[in-house]
Amino acid sequence: MNARFWQNHAYRYGCLHPADKASLGLLLLGLLLRPPLLGWAAWGRAVQRLFPHIDFYQLKLSDLVRIPLQCLWLLLRRPAAERDDTSSTHYLLRGWQAICKGWQGCSVYLQTHIPWRLDRQRLQQAAEQLLEHRYWHKRWLSRLAYALALLLMLVCITTPFNEWAQGLFVLVLLLVALGITRLEGPVPTLVLMVFSVVVSTRYLWWRLTSTINDDGWVNLLAGILLLLAELYAWLILLLGFFQASWGLQRQVSPLPTEQDSWPTVDVLIPIYNEPLRILRPTVLAALSLEWPQSKLRVYVLDDGQREEIRLFVEQTGAHYLTREQHLHAKAGNINHALGKTTGEFVAIFDCDHIPVRSFLQVTMGGLIHDAKLALVQTPHHFFSADPFERNLNGVQQVPNEGELFYGRVQDGNDLWNAAFFCGSCAVLRRSALLAVGGIATDTVTEDAHTSLRLHRAGYRSAYLKVIQAAGLATESLSIHIGQRVRWARGMAQIFRSDNPLRGKGLSWAQRLCYGNAMLHFLYGLPRLIFLCAPQAFLLFHAYTIYAPALGLVLYLLPHMLFSVLTNSRMHGRYRRSFWGEIYETVLAWHITIPTTMALLFPRLGKFNVTAKGGLVNSSHFDWGVTKPYLLLLLFNLLGLAVGLYRLGFGPSNEVGTLLVNMIWTVYNILLLGVALGVAREVRQLRISHRISAHLPVTLHLPDGRAYPCMTLDYSEGGMALEAPVAIPTKADSPLSVSLQAAGQHFSLPGRVVFAKGKRVSLRFNHLSLAQEMALVQCTFGRADAWLGPQERPPEHTPLHGAQDVVRLGSRGLLQAVQSLGPQFTWLASTLLWLASLLPRQPLPVPEQSA
C-alpha cells in the first residue's frame, strides 16, 4: 500500500461505501498509527477531516474516549449516498410550501366566494328558526332525525379512506367549520361539536384498527399505554361536550312580596385554624345580609376553639358554636351545627368568602317556590390572584382556573338537574339535608358527595351564575396542589364507593355529569404518558403509533385542530386554549398516586384544610414542588437531543416520524417550562388584597374642605383615590372618607400614605367595629361588587393560547436556569463536556484539481 492509496481513501470517506468494514478498520488504524506512509502533511489533513473535534498535536485525557467513539461511529454510520438526505429535505420543503399555499388559497376563497359572509345574520336566523320549528315537537320525527344523524356519523367514522380521500374529507369539514365559527349562537357551536366528535372518533377508529404495532413487547407496551391515554382523553372530550353543550342560564326567582312569609335562615361559617383577620369581614358581611333580622341568625363554627374567635363573635352579636370531638373535619362541624340550630334553610360560607348584601334575596326565591328544590349554588369568585395568575403575571389577562367550572360547566349541569354543591356560597333546605343524613362524611369532598345523595333522594338543585360572594384564592403553588389533590382524592373515593353510574335515583344525564366530574380528576397518569410518549421513539425506537408521518398529519392533526377549535368556541370566555394542558401538567405528577390509592383503598386519606391569607416574604423557586417537572424536563431534553442527532445521521425514511415526535417533545418542554414558571413564587407582602373599583366617595380634610373623588382600589386596610383637582395634603396627614351604602352615609377616619397631584392613598386608622362593618357594607358587601368580572370577552382565536404556551414556557425555562445559579453552571459544564465526547460529522472533501 502506498501513500496515494491512504490519501484517496481518507479524502473520499463518507462518499464511497467500502467493500467491507474490515478494510475500513485497517484504514482508520493506518491513519492513526502509520503517518509516515502518507507523509505528515497528508496525514494531518486526513485526520483533521475525520476527527474535526480532536487536536492530535495537543491530546487530552478525554480524547482517549473521543477517538474510539469517533472510530466506532465512522465504522457504523451509513454513507451519505445511501441516506439520500437531500431528497427527504427536498420533499419536506415541497410539502410545507404546498400546505402554506393551500392555506392561503382557502383563506382567499373564504373571503371572496362564501356568500354567507355577506348575509351572516339571515343564515343565523334561518338556523334558529329550523331549530325551533314545530315539527321537532313530534317525538317520532326528532327520534328519526337523531337516528339518521347517528347512522351518518357511524358511516363517516368507520369508512376507510385512502390518503387523498381522507385529506379531502378533513378539508371540507374544516372549510365548513371555519364558516360556522363566524356565526353566533348555540346552534353553530353544536355543529362544531358534532364535527369534532366525528373527526376525533374517526382518529380513534384509525388508531384501533391500523396503528397497533405488535412487533416486539416494547412497541406493543408503549403503543397500548398511549392508546389507553388517548381513549381516556377522548372519553373526557365527549362527556365534556355533553356536560357543557347547552347552559340553562337560570334566572333569579322573585321573592314573595310579604316578608312575613319569608323563611328563617341560619348562616353557618365553619373555621378551623384560619387567622381572625380573614374571618372578620365574612362575619360582618353575613350580619349585613338584606333579610328580616328576626329570621336571620349567623353562626361561627369554630373547630379550633380559640378564645380570640369567641370574643370577636360575641362582640358582633353573632353566635359561637364549638364541639368537643372534632370528627369528620368540616362535614362533621356542619353536622354538629345542624343539631344546634333550627332555621328552615342554611347558608354556608367558607370563612374567607365574603357575601354581598343581596345574597339571600337572589338565592331564596326558587327555594321558597319549589319544595323539592334542596340546593341553590352560586359561583366561587376570588378577588386575590391564584398562583397561575400571580406567578405568571396573568392577572386580568388569563381567566382564573375555576372560571370554566363556574362559568360553563355548572350552568350545563343545571340543565340536567345535576348542579353540584361546592361547599360554600350556597343555600340548602334543612329538611332535605337531614333526610339524607346531613353533610356526607364518607369522603374528603363532602360537598359533591352531599349533592349526589340529594339527587339520589329525588331532590332538585339549581345554579345561579351570578356572583354573590368573593374570597381568597390559594397563595402558593404548594397549597394549590394540596387543595387539588384533596379534590381529586375525594372524587376518586366517591367514584369507588358511591359510583354515580350505578345505583338508583339518578337520571342517565345526571350519571354522565357526575361521572365526568369524577373521571376528570383521573387525568394524572394519562398526562404523564403524553409527556413521555414521544421519547419512546426518540430514545428507544419504539413505534407508539405504527403509521407514516402523513397518516399522523391526516388523522391526528385534524383531531387536535377540531378539538381546540370547538373548545375555544365553547369555553373561550372562561378559559383560553391550551391552558387545560398547562393546569394538568402542573398537577399530573402530584395527583396520580393519591387518586390511584383512592380507587384501590377508598377509605384512606383525611381532610386537609386549605391555608388562606398567607404571605410570600421573598421571590423564590419552590424546588420541592418542581422536582418532578425537572425530571420530566431532562427526560424530554434528552429525547430532543437524540432526535436531532438521528435527524442528521439517521435513515431518511424516519425523518417525518422524527419531526412529529420532536415537535411533540418541544411542546412538552414548553408545558414543563410553564410549570416551572408557576413554581417561581412571586413576593407577596400585602395582608389585605386590593380590589380595583370605581366608587364615588368624598374626601374630608381637617380644615373642613371636601373633595369628591373616585376610588381606584380598596382593601380592608385602605383606599387609593383620584380627585378632579390636586389635593393639598401630605403623607401622614389625618383625614376622613365618606361612603354610601343602602341610602346611608358613613365616615371613616384615616391617614395619608401617599399624595401626588390628584391621587391620594390612605390607610384606615383604628376603625371601631361599627365602622369596620360600614366599610364592608360599602365595599365588599355591595350588591354590584362583583358584577364586572362576569363580562369577559371571548377568546378571539386559539392562537392566543398557543402564544401563551410559547411565551410563558420560554420564560419559565429561562427563570429556572437563572435561579439554579452555581448549580446550573456545574450542570451545564458537565452536559457540555459530555456533549463534547459525541462523534462528529467528517468535514467535506475539498475539490480535487485536475
Coordinates of all heavy atoms in Angstrom, one line a residue, residues 188-264:
P188 N -74.6 26.9 15.9 CA -73.3 26.7 15.3 C -72.3 26.0 16.2 O -71.5 25.2 15.8 CB -72.8 28.1 15.0 CG -74.0 28.9 14.8 CD -74.9 28.4 15.9
T189 N -72.4 26.2 17.5 CA -71.5 25.5 18.5 C -71.8 24.1 18.5 O -70.9 23.2 18.5 CB -71.7 26.1 19.9 OG1 -71.4 27.5 19.8 CG2 -70.7 25.5 20.9
L190 N -73.1 23.7 18.5 CA -73.5 22.3 18.4 C -72.9 21.6 17.2 O -72.5 20.5 17.2 CB -75.0 22.1 18.5 CG -75.6 22.6 19.9 CD1 -77.1 22.5 19.8 CD2 -75.1 21.7 21.0
V191 N -73.0 22.3 16.0 CA -72.5 21.8 14.8 C -71.0 21.5 14.9 O -70.5 20.5 14.4 CB -72.8 22.7 13.6 CG1 -72.2 22.2 12.3 CG2 -74.3 22.8 13.4
L192 N -70.3 22.5 15.5 CA -68.8 22.3 15.7 C -68.6 21.1 16.6 O -67.6 20.3 16.3 CB -68.2 23.5 16.2 CG -68.0 24.7 15.3 CD1 -67.4 25.9 16.1 CD2 -67.0 24.3 14.2
M193 N -69.4 20.9 17.6 CA -69.2 19.7 18.5 C -69.4 18.4 17.7 O -68.6 17.5 17.9 CB -70.2 19.8 19.6 CG -69.9 20.9 20.6 SD -71.3 21.1 21.8 CE -71.6 19.4 22.3
V194 N -70.4 18.4 16.8 CA -70.6 17.2 16.0 C -69.4 16.9 15.1 O -68.9 15.8 15.0 CB -71.9 17.3 15.2 CG1 -72.0 16.1 14.2 CG2 -73.1 17.4 16.1
F195 N -68.9 17.9 14.5 CA -67.7 17.8 13.6 C -66.5 17.2 14.4 O -65.8 16.3 14.0 CB -67.3 19.1 13.0 CG -68.2 19.5 11.9 CD1 -69.3 18.7 11.5 CD2 -68.0 20.7 11.2 CE1 -70.1 19.1 10.4 CE2 -68.8 21.1 10.1 CZ -69.8 20.3 9.7
S196 N -66.3 17.8 15.6 CA -65.2 17.4 16.5 C -65.3 16.0 16.9 O -64.4 15.2 16.9 CB -65.1 18.3 17.7 OG -64.0 18.0 18.5
V197 N -66.6 15.6 17.3 CA -66.8 14.2 17.7 C -66.5 13.2 16.5 O -65.9 12.2 16.7 CB -68.2 14.0 18.2 CG1 -68.6 12.5 18.4 CG2 -68.4 14.8 19.5
V198 N -67.0 13.6 15.3 CA -66.7 12.7 14.2 C -65.2 12.6 13.9 O -64.7 11.5 13.7 CB -67.5 13.3 12.9 CG1 -67.0 12.5 11.7 CG2 -69.0 13.1 13.1
V199 N -64.5 13.7 13.8 CA -63.1 13.6 13.5 C -62.3 12.9 14.6 O -61.4 12.1 14.3 CB -62.6 15.1 13.3 CG1 -61.1 15.1 13.1 CG2 -63.2 15.7 12.0
S200 N -62.6 13.2 15.8 CA -61.9 12.6 16.9 C -62.2 11.1 17.0 O -61.2 10.2 17.2 CB -62.2 13.2 18.3 OG -61.8 14.6 18.3
T201 N -63.4 10.7 16.8 CA -63.8 9.3 16.9 C -63.2 8.5 15.7 O -62.8 7.4 15.8 CB -65.3 9.1 16.9 OG1 -65.8 9.9 18.0 CG2 -65.7 7.7 17.2
R202 N -63.2 9.2 14.5 CA -62.5 8.6 13.3 C -61.0 8.4 13.6 O -60.5 7.3 13.2 CB -62.7 9.5 12.1 CG -62.1 8.9 10.8 CD -62.6 9.6 9.6 NE -61.9 9.1 8.4 CZ -62.3 8.0 7.8 NH1 -63.4 7.4 8.2 NH2 -61.6 7.6 6.7
Y203 N -60.4 9.3 14.3 CA -59.0 9.1 14.6 C -58.8 7.9 15.5 O -57.9 7.1 15.3 CB -58.5 10.4 15.3 CG -57.1 10.2 16.0 CD1 -56.0 10.0 15.3 CD2 -57.1 10.2 17.4 CE1 -54.8 9.8 15.9 CE2 -55.9 10.0 18.0 CZ -54.7 9.8 17.3 OH -53.5 9.6 17.9
L204 N -59.7 7.8 16.5 CA -59.5 6.6 17.4 C -59.8 5.3 16.7 O -59.2 4.3 17.0 CB -60.5 6.8 18.6 CG -59.9 7.4 19.9 CD1 -58.8 6.4 20.5 CD2 -59.3 8.7 19.7
W205 N -60.8 5.4 15.8 CA -61.0 4.2 15.0 C -59.8 3.8 14.2 O -59.5 2.6 14.1 CB -62.3 4.4 14.1 CG -62.6 3.2 13.2 CD1 -62.3 3.0 11.9 CD2 -63.4 2.1 13.6 NE1 -62.8 1.9 11.4 CE2 -63.5 1.3 12.5 CE3 -64.0 1.7 14.8 CZ2 -64.2 0.1 12.5 CZ3 -64.7 0.5 14.8 CH2 -64.8 -0.3 13.7
W206 N -59.2 4.8 13.6 CA -58.0 4.5 12.8 C -56.9 4.0 13.7 O -56.1 3.1 13.3 CB -57.5 5.8 12.1 CG -56.2 5.8 11.4 CD1 -55.9 5.2 10.3 CD2 -55.0 6.4 11.9 NE1 -54.6 5.4 9.9 CE2 -54.0 6.1 10.9 CE3 -54.7 7.2 13.0 CZ2 -52.7 6.6 11.0 CZ3 -53.4 7.7 13.1 CH2 -52.4 7.4 12.1
R207 N -56.7 4.5 14.9 CA -55.7 4.1 15.8 C -55.9 2.6 16.2 O -55.0 1.8 16.3 CB -55.7 4.9 17.1 CG -55.2 6.3 16.9 CD -53.6 6.3 17.0 NE -53.2 6.2 18.3 CZ -52.5 5.2 18.8 NH1 -52.2 4.2 18.0 NH2 -52.0 5.1 20.0
L208 N -57.2 2.3 16.5 CA -57.5 0.9 16.9 C -57.4 -0.1 15.8 O -57.0 -1.3 16.1 CB -58.9 0.9 17.5 CG -59.2 1.6 18.8 CD1 -60.6 1.7 19.1 CD2 -58.5 0.8 20.0
T209 N -57.6 0.3 14.6 CA -57.6 -0.7 13.5 C -56.4 -0.7 12.6 O -56.2 -1.7 11.9 CB -58.8 -0.4 12.6 OG1 -58.8 0.9 12.1 CG2 -60.1 -0.6 13.4
S210 N -55.5 0.3 12.7 CA -54.4 0.4 11.8 C -53.1 0.8 12.3 O -52.1 0.8 11.6 CB -54.8 1.5 10.7 OG -56.0 1.2 10.1
T211 N -53.0 1.1 13.6 CA -51.7 1.6 14.1 C -51.1 0.9 15.3 O -50.1 1.3 15.9 CB -51.9 3.1 14.5 OG1 -52.8 3.1 15.7 CG2 -52.5 3.9 13.4
I212 N -51.6 -0.3 15.6 CA -51.1 -1.1 16.7 C -49.9 -1.9 16.2 O -50.0 -2.6 15.3 CB -52.1 -2.0 17.4 CG1 -53.3 -1.2 17.9 CG2 -51.5 -2.8 18.5 CD1 -53.0 -0.2 18.9
N213 N -48.7 -1.7 16.9 CA -47.5 -2.4 16.4 C -47.2 -3.5 17.4 O -46.8 -3.2 18.6 CB -46.4 -1.4 16.4 CG -45.1 -2.0 15.9 OD1 -45.1 -3.1 15.4 ND2 -44.0 -1.3 16.1
D214 N -47.4 -4.8 17.0 CA -47.1 -5.9 17.9 C -45.8 -6.6 17.6 O -45.5 -7.7 18.0 CB -48.2 -6.9 17.9 CG -48.5 -7.4 16.4 OD1 -47.8 -6.9 15.5 OD2 -49.3 -8.3 16.3
D215 N -44.9 -5.8 16.9 CA -43.6 -6.4 16.6 C -42.6 -6.1 17.8 O -41.8 -5.2 17.8 CB -43.1 -5.7 15.3 CG -41.7 -6.3 14.9 OD1 -41.4 -7.4 15.3 OD2 -41.0 -5.6 14.1
G216 N -42.7 -6.9 18.8 CA -41.9 -6.8 20.0 C -42.7 -6.2 21.1 O -43.6 -5.4 20.9
W217 N -42.3 -6.7 22.3 CA -43.1 -6.3 23.5 C -42.9 -4.8 23.8 O -43.8 -4.1 24.4 CB -42.8 -7.1 24.7 CG -41.4 -6.9 25.2 CD1 -40.2 -7.6 24.8 CD2 -41.0 -6.0 26.2 NE1 -39.1 -7.1 25.5 CE2 -39.6 -6.1 26.4 CE3 -41.6 -5.0 27.0 CZ2 -38.8 -5.3 27.3 CZ3 -40.9 -4.3 27.9 CH2 -39.5 -4.4 28.0
V218 N -41.8 -4.2 23.5 CA -41.6 -2.8 23.8 C -42.5 -1.9 22.9 O -43.2 -1.0 23.4 CB -40.1 -2.4 23.5 CG1 -39.9 -0.9 23.7 CG2 -39.2 -3.2 24.4
N219 N -42.6 -2.2 21.6 CA -43.5 -1.5 20.8 C -44.9 -1.7 21.2 O -45.7 -0.7 21.2 CB -43.4 -2.0 19.3 CG -42.0 -1.5 18.7 OD1 -41.5 -0.5 19.0 ND2 -41.5 -2.3 17.8
L220 N -45.3 -2.9 21.5 CA -46.7 -3.2 21.9 C -47.1 -2.5 23.2 O -48.1 -1.8 23.4 CB -46.9 -4.7 22.1 CG -48.3 -5.1 22.4 CD1 -49.3 -4.7 21.3 CD2 -48.4 -6.6 22.6
L221 N -46.2 -2.5 24.2 CA -46.5 -1.9 25.5 C -46.6 -0.4 25.4 O -47.5 0.2 25.9 CB -45.4 -2.3 26.5 CG -45.5 -1.6 27.9 CD1 -46.8 -2.1 28.6 CD2 -44.3 -2.0 28.8
A222 N -45.6 0.2 24.7 CA -45.6 1.7 24.5 C -46.9 2.1 23.7 O -47.5 3.1 24.1 CB -44.4 2.2 23.8
G223 N -47.2 1.4 22.7 CA -48.4 1.7 21.9 C -49.7 1.6 22.7 O -50.6 2.4 22.6
I224 N -49.8 0.5 23.5 CA -51.0 0.3 24.3 C -51.2 1.4 25.3 O -52.3 1.9 25.5 CB -51.0 -1.1 24.9 CG1 -51.1 -2.2 23.8 CG2 -52.2 -1.2 25.9 CD1 -52.4 -2.2 23.1
L225 N -50.1 1.8 26.0 CA -50.2 2.8 27.0 C -50.7 4.1 26.4 O -51.6 4.8 26.9 CB -48.8 3.0 27.7 CG -48.4 1.9 28.7 CD1 -47.0 2.2 29.2 CD2 -49.4 1.8 29.8
L226 N -50.1 4.5 25.3 CA -50.5 5.7 24.6 C -52.0 5.6 24.1 O -52.7 6.6 24.3 CB -49.6 6.0 23.4 CG -49.9 7.3 22.7 CD1 -49.9 8.6 23.6 CD2 -49.0 7.5 21.5
L227 N -52.4 4.5 23.6 CA -53.7 4.3 23.1 C -54.7 4.5 24.3 O -55.8 5.1 24.2 CB -53.9 3.0 22.4 CG -55.3 2.7 21.9 CD1 -55.7 3.7 20.9 CD2 -55.3 1.3 21.3
L228 N -54.4 3.9 25.5 CA -55.3 4.0 26.6 C -55.4 5.4 27.1 O -56.5 5.9 27.4 CB -54.8 3.1 27.8 CG -54.9 1.6 27.5 CD1 -54.2 0.9 28.7 CD2 -56.3 1.2 27.4
A229 N -54.3 6.2 27.1 CA -54.3 7.6 27.4 C -55.2 8.4 26.4 O -56.0 9.3 26.8 CB -52.9 8.2 27.5
E230 N -55.1 8.1 25.2 CA -55.9 8.7 24.2 C -57.4 8.4 24.3 O -58.2 9.2 24.1 CB -55.4 8.4 22.8 CG -54.1 9.0 22.4 CD -53.6 8.6 21.0 OE1 -53.6 7.4 20.7 OE2 -53.2 9.5 20.3
L231 N -57.7 7.1 24.6 CA -59.1 6.7 24.8 C -59.7 7.5 26.0 O -60.8 7.9 26.0 CB -59.2 5.2 25.1 CG -59.0 4.4 23.8 CD1 -58.9 2.9 24.2 CD2 -60.1 4.6 22.8
Y232 N -58.9 7.7 27.1 CA -59.3 8.4 28.2 C -59.6 9.9 27.8 O -60.7 10.4 28.2 CB -58.3 8.4 29.3 CG -58.6 9.4 30.4 CD1 -59.4 9.1 31.5 CD2 -57.9 10.6 30.4 CE1 -59.7 10.0 32.5 CE2 -58.2 11.6 31.4 CZ -59.1 11.3 32.4 OH -59.3 12.2 33.4
A233 N -58.7 10.5 27.1 CA -58.9 11.9 26.7 C -60.1 12.0 25.8 O -60.9 13.0 25.8 CB -57.6 12.4 25.9
W234 N -60.3 11.0 24.9 CA -61.5 11.1 24.0 C -62.8 10.9 24.8 O -63.8 11.7 24.5 CB -61.4 9.9 23.0 CG -62.6 9.7 22.2 CD1 -63.0 10.4 21.1 CD2 -63.6 8.6 22.4 NE1 -64.1 9.8 20.6 CE2 -64.5 8.8 21.3 CE3 -63.7 7.6 23.3 CZ2 -65.6 7.9 21.2 CZ3 -64.8 6.8 23.2 CH2 -65.8 6.9 22.2
L235 N -62.8 10.1 25.8 CA -64.0 9.9 26.7 C -64.3 11.2 27.4 O -65.5 11.7 27.5 CB -63.8 8.8 27.6 CG -64.9 8.5 28.6 CD1 -66.2 8.2 27.9 CD2 -64.5 7.4 29.6
I236 N -63.3 11.9 28.0 CA -63.5 13.1 28.7 C -63.9 14.2 27.7 O -64.8 15.1 28.1 CB -62.2 13.5 29.4 CG1 -61.8 12.5 30.5 CG2 -62.3 14.9 30.0 CD1 -62.9 12.4 31.5
L237 N -63.4 14.2 26.5 CA -63.9 15.2 25.5 C -65.3 15.0 25.2 O -66.1 16.0 25.2 CB -63.0 15.0 24.2 CG -63.4 15.9 23.0 CD1 -63.0 17.3 23.3 CD2 -62.8 15.4 21.7
L238 N -65.8 13.8 25.0 CA -67.2 13.6 24.7 C -68.1 13.9 25.9 O -69.1 14.6 25.7 CB -67.4 12.1 24.3 CG -67.4 11.8 22.8 CD1 -66.1 12.2 22.2 CD2 -67.7 10.3 22.6
L239 N -67.7 13.5 27.1 CA -68.5 13.8 28.3 C -68.5 15.3 28.5 O -69.5 15.9 28.9 CB -67.9 13.1 29.5 CG -68.1 11.6 29.5 CD1 -67.4 11.0 30.7 CD2 -69.6 11.2 29.5
G240 N -67.4 16.0 28.3 CA -67.3 17.5 28.4 C -68.2 18.2 27.4 O -68.9 19.1 27.8
F241 N -68.3 17.7 26.2 CA -69.2 18.3 25.2 C -70.7 18.1 25.7 O -71.5 19.1 25.6 CB -69.0 17.6 23.9 CG -67.8 18.0 23.1 CD1 -67.4 17.3 22.0 CD2 -67.2 19.2 23.5 CE1 -66.3 17.8 21.3 CE2 -66.0 19.6 22.8 CZ -65.6 18.9 21.7
F242 N -71.0 16.9 26.2 CA -72.4 16.7 26.7 C -72.7 17.6 27.9 O -73.7 18.2 27.9 CB -72.6 15.3 27.0 CG -73.8 15.0 27.8 CD1 -75.0 14.9 27.1 CD2 -73.8 14.9 29.2 CE1 -76.2 14.7 27.8 CE2 -75.0 14.6 29.8 CZ -76.2 14.5 29.1
Q243 N -71.8 17.7 28.8 CA -72.0 18.4 30.0 C -72.2 19.9 29.8 O -73.0 20.6 30.5 CB -70.9 18.1 31.0 CG -71.1 18.6 32.4 CD -70.0 18.1 33.3 OE1 -68.8 18.0 32.9 NE2 -70.3 17.9 34.6
A244 N -71.4 20.5 28.9 CA -71.4 21.9 28.7 C -72.0 22.3 27.3 O -71.8 23.4 26.9 CB -70.0 22.5 28.8
S245 N -72.8 21.4 26.7 CA -73.3 21.7 25.4 C -74.3 22.9 25.4 O -74.3 23.6 24.4 CB -73.9 20.5 24.8 OG -74.9 20.0 25.6
W246 N -75.1 23.0 26.4 CA -76.1 24.0 26.4 C -76.3 24.4 27.9 O -76.8 23.7 28.7 CB -77.4 23.4 25.9 CG -78.4 24.4 25.4 CD1 -79.1 25.3 26.2 CD2 -78.8 24.7 24.1 NE1 -79.9 26.1 25.4 CE2 -79.7 25.8 24.1 CE3 -78.4 24.2 22.8 CZ2 -80.3 26.3 23.0 CZ3 -79.0 24.8 21.7 CH2 -79.9 25.8 21.8
G247 N -76.0 25.7 28.2 CA -76.2 26.2 29.5 C -77.7 26.6 29.8 O -78.3 27.1 28.9
L248 N -78.1 26.3 31.0 CA -79.5 26.7 31.3 C -79.7 28.2 31.5 O -80.8 28.7 31.1 CB -80.0 25.9 32.6 CG -81.4 26.1 33.0 CD1 -82.4 25.7 32.0 CD2 -81.7 25.4 34.3
Q249 N -78.7 28.8 32.0 CA -78.8 30.3 32.2 C -80.1 30.6 33.1 O -80.9 31.5 32.7 CB -78.8 31.1 30.9 CG -77.5 30.8 30.1 CD -77.5 31.6 28.8 OE1 -78.5 32.2 28.4 NE2 -76.4 31.5 28.1
R250 N -80.1 30.0 34.2 CA -81.3 30.2 35.1 C -81.4 31.6 35.6 O -80.4 32.2 35.9 CB -81.1 29.2 36.3 CG -82.3 29.2 37.2 CD -82.0 28.4 38.5 NE -81.8 27.0 38.1 CZ -82.8 26.1 38.1 NH1 -84.1 26.5 38.5 NH2 -82.6 24.8 37.8
Q251 N -82.6 32.1 35.6 CA -82.8 33.5 36.1 C -83.2 33.5 37.6 O -83.7 32.5 38.1 CB -83.9 34.2 35.3 CG -83.6 34.2 33.8 CD -82.4 35.0 33.5 OE1 -82.2 36.1 34.0 NE2 -81.5 34.5 32.7
V252 N -83.0 34.6 38.2 CA -83.3 34.7 39.7 C -84.8 34.7 39.8 O -85.6 35.4 39.1 CB -82.7 36.0 40.2 CG1 -83.2 36.2 41.7 CG2 -81.2 36.0 40.1
S253 N -85.3 33.9 40.8 CA -86.7 33.8 41.1 C -87.1 34.9 42.1 O -86.4 35.1 43.1 CB -87.1 32.5 41.6 OG -86.9 31.4 40.7
P254 N -88.2 35.6 41.8 CA -88.6 36.7 42.8 C -89.1 36.2 44.1 O -89.6 35.1 44.2 CB -89.7 37.5 42.0 CG -90.2 36.4 41.1 CD -89.1 35.5 40.7
L255 N -88.9 36.9 45.1 CA -89.4 36.6 46.4 C -90.8 37.0 46.6 O -91.3 37.9 45.9 CB -88.5 37.3 47.5 CG -87.1 36.8 47.7 CD1 -86.3 37.8 48.5 CD2 -87.1 35.4 48.3
P256 N -91.5 36.4 47.5 CA -92.9 36.8 47.8 C -92.9 38.3 48.3 O -91.9 38.7 49.0 CB -93.4 35.9 48.9 CG -92.5 34.7 48.7 CD -91.2 35.2 48.2
T257 N -93.9 39.0 48.0 CA -94.0 40.4 48.4 C -94.1 40.6 49.9 O -93.6 41.5 50.5 CB -95.1 41.1 47.7 OG1 -96.3 40.4 48.0 CG2 -94.9 41.1 46.2
E258 N -94.8 39.6 50.6 CA -95.0 39.7 52.0 C -93.8 39.1 52.7 O -93.5 37.9 52.6 CB -96.2 38.9 52.4 CG -97.5 39.6 51.9 CD -97.8 40.9 52.5 OE1 -97.3 41.2 53.6 OE2 -98.4 41.8 51.8
Q259 N -93.0 39.9 53.5 CA -91.8 39.4 54.2 C -92.2 38.5 55.3 O -91.3 37.7 55.7 CB -91.0 40.6 54.7 CG -90.3 41.4 53.6 CD -89.3 42.4 54.2 OE1 -89.0 42.4 55.4 NE2 -88.8 43.3 53.3
D260 N -93.4 38.5 55.8 CA -93.8 37.6 56.8 C -93.8 36.2 56.4 O -93.6 35.3 57.3 CB -95.2 38.0 57.3 CG -95.3 39.3 58.0 OD1 -94.2 39.8 58.4 OD2 -96.4 39.9 58.1
S261 N -93.9 35.9 55.1 CA -93.9 34.5 54.6 C -92.5 34.1 54.3 O -92.3 32.9 53.9 CB -94.7 34.4 53.4 OG -94.2 35.2 52.3
W262 N -91.5 34.9 54.5 CA -90.1 34.5 54.2 C -89.6 33.6 55.3 O -89.9 33.8 56.5 CB -89.2 35.7 54.1 CG -89.4 36.6 52.9 CD1 -90.5 36.5 52.1 CD2 -88.7 37.8 52.6 NE1 -90.4 37.5 51.1 CE2 -89.3 38.3 51.4 CE3 -87.5 38.3 53.0 CZ2 -88.8 39.4 50.7 CZ3 -87.0 39.5 52.4 CH2 -87.6 40.0 51.2
P263 N -88.9 32.5 55.0 CA -88.5 31.5 56.0 C -87.3 32.0 56.8 O -86.6 33.0 56.5 CB -88.1 30.3 55.1 CG -87.6 31.0 53.8 CD -88.5 32.2 53.6
T264 N -87.0 31.3 57.8 CA -85.8 31.6 58.6 C -84.5 30.9 58.0 O -84.6 29.9 57.4 CB -86.0 31.0 60.1 OG1 -86.3 29.6 60.0 CG2 -87.1 31.7 60.8

